[in-house]
């Protein structure tokens, strides 16, 4: 009898230990599941944050590109404006430099995309009809220009021509005589 009781007690301990092992396994599995779920959630959150940063970066790039285009357009418009001629060192030239200034280039276009289109006949005629006088310091004379910058020959009387020639060719050593 005693042997039977000892075998029954050992079976009880085995069954209790196996049930404990099962509980431990189950607990371990559930904790692994929870850990896996938590990692998955963190990964999802990290991806979402990364996506958000990419969108912000893309938006910032677009605004920078737009600003760069605007700056480039302004610089191009400023470059289109013709610079004033340099003043000559002679007093006659500086006195003759005072006069009507050439008109600024026509920059008032209704639409910036139209500026790259060919001119209509009316626009071309209007541009060509404009003339202005400007002082040319290289030859020390006033010249007549067409709207596009083309030099126009002026017809003057012989007396006027001689007067202009004498004024422009006069040098300091000639003035002393």
């Amino acid at each position: 009898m005693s042997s039977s009781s000892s075998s029954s007690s050992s079976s009880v301990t085995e069954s209790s230990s196996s049930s404990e092992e099962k509980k431990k396994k189950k607990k371990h599995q559930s904790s692994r599941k929870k850990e896996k779920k938590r990692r998955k959630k963190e990964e999802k959150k990290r991806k979402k944050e990364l996506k958000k940063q990419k969108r912000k970066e893309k938006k910032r790039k677009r605004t920078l590109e737009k600003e760069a285009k605007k700056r480039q357009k302004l610089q191009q418009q400023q470059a289109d404006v013709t610079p004033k001629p340099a003043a000559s060192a002679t007093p006659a030239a500086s006195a003759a430099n005072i006069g009507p200034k050439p008109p600024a280039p026509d920059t008032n276009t209704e639409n910036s995309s139209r500026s790259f289109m060919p001119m209509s006949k009316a626009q071309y005629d209007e541009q060509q009809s404009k003339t202005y006088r400007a002082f040319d310091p290289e030859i020390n004379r006033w010249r007549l220009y067409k709207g596009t910058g083309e030099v126009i020959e002026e017809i003057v009387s012989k007396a006027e021509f001689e007067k202009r020639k004498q004024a422009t060719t006069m040098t300091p050593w000639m003035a002393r005589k």
Side-chain angles (χ1 to χ4, degrees):
M1 252 206 172
S2 73
S3 71
S4 73
S5 78
S6 72
S7 70
S8 71
S9 74
S10 70
S11 71
V12 170
T13 54
E14 281 180 30
S15 68
S16 69
S17 70
S18 68
S19 69
E20 285 178 26
E21 282 179 32
K22 285 180 182 178
K23 283 182 181 178
K24 282 183 180 180
K25 268 187 177 179
K26 206 173 191 181
K27 197 173 188 182
H28 185 66
Q29 282 178 348
S30 69
S31 68
R32 272 200 288 171
K33 281 183 179 178
K34 284 180 182 178
E35 184 65 27
K36 195 175 178 182
K37 228 180 193 181
R38 187 184 59 77
R39 276 194 228 123
K40 207 173 185 181
K41 196 174 185 180
E42 285 176 358
E43 183 69 21
K44 198 174 183 181
K45 192 174 183 179
R46 190 179 61 79
K47 282 183 180 180
K48 190 176 182 180
E49 197 64 36
L50 199 79
K51 204 174 187 180
K52 196 175 184 180
Q53 285 178 346
K54 282 183 181 180
R55 267 191 259 122
K56 280 185 178 179
E57 185 66 26
K58 204 173 186 180
K59 188 176 182 180
R60 190 176 64 79
K61 278 184 181 180
R62 268 189 263 135
T63 55
L64 287 174
E65 286 173 357
K66 283 181 181 179
E67 288 173 1
K69 280 183 182 180
K70 283 182 183 178
R71 278 191 299 250
Q72 188 178 17
K73 201 174 188 179
L74 281 171
Q75 287 173 351
Q76 190 176 12
Q77 286 177 349
Q78 289 173 351
D80 289 345
V81 176
T82 55
K84 295 179 183 177
S88 181
T90 60
S94 62
N97 202 3
I98 301 169
K101 295 179 183 174
D106 194 18
T107 56
N108 56 351
T109 54
E110 294 133 22
N111 192 352
S112 61
S113 63
R114 290 195 56 170
S115 64
F116 297 107
M117 292 176 61
M119 280 191 222
S120 67
K121 176 73 174 152
Q123 288 173 328
Y124 178 76
D125 290 340
E126 181 184 334
Q127 186 183 36
Q128 291 298 337
S129 68
K130 293 178 185 174
T131 58
Y132 58 94
R133 287 184 191 277
F135 184 76
D136 189 353
E138 290 177 14
I139 59 169
N140 202 23
R141 292 180 187 226
W142 284 90
R143 301 190 93 171
L144 191 63
Y145 291 94
K146 224 179 206 187
T148 55
E150 180 184 345
V151 178
I152 304 171
E153 289 296 322
E154 238 180 313
I155 300 171
V156 292
S157 67
K158 187 167 181 156
E160 179 68 21
F161 172 75
E162 290 297 324
K163 183 178 165 189
R164 287 183 184 184
K165 183 178 173 187
Q166 189 178 17
T168 55
T169 56
M170 186 174 283
T171 57
W173 62 270
M174 290 178 123
R176 285 189 216 142
K177 288 185 179 179

